[in-house]
Amino acid sequence: NTWISENKNKDVDVDAAIDGRDTWSKQILDEVAKDSAIEDALYALDKALEDGRITLDVFLKQVRRLSKQQFQHRALTHKIM
């Protein structure tokens, strides 16, 4: 609450405000961001399949590729924690 009250009327750079203090924190933030980006991509692929913009074959290949990456990011996040 102290930081919030001190910076209430200031323009705060969000990227600077949300930054890991040490190597582990920075790595966790990076891995969680990658995981979230993959989650967004999977959602977009689902919508594209639903709208008929991609074939089922393309959808499955991309979902499999992204899911492997997402698993690796999540496993590393849990290992760091």
Side-chain angles (χ1 to χ4, degrees):
N1 289 338
T2 305
W3 186 89
I4 294 172
S5 57
E6 289 174 2
N7 294 288
K8 188 174 184 177
N9 297 323
K10 296 180 184 176
D11 288 332
V12 177
D13 179 16
V14 176
D15 292 327
I18 302 175
D19 188 25
R21 300 239 182 241
D22 56 28
T23 303
W24 300 114
S25 299
K26 289 177 184 178
Q27 192 173 14
I28 288 174
L29 283 172
D30 188 47
E31 293 302 316
V32 169
K34 289 175 184 176
D35 179 33
S36 296
I38 291 171
E39 195 68 36
D40 291 345
L42 290 170
Y43 177 79
L45 282 169
D46 186 50
K47 287 296 180 189
L49 178 66
E50 189 177 295
D51 295 342
R53 292 182 280 137
I54 61 173
T55 64
L56 180 60
D57 186 48
V58 170
F59 174 80
L60 292 174
K61 285 179 184 177
Q62 294 303 315
V63 166
R64 184 171 184 230
R65 183 180 63 82
L66 289 170
S67 295
K68 284 181 182 180
Q69 291 177 10
Q70 189 176 42
F71 175 81
Q72 292 171 345
H73 295 302
R74 288 182 179 180
L76 183 55
T77 299
H78 288 289
K79 187 176 182 179
I80 294 167
M81 295 169 108

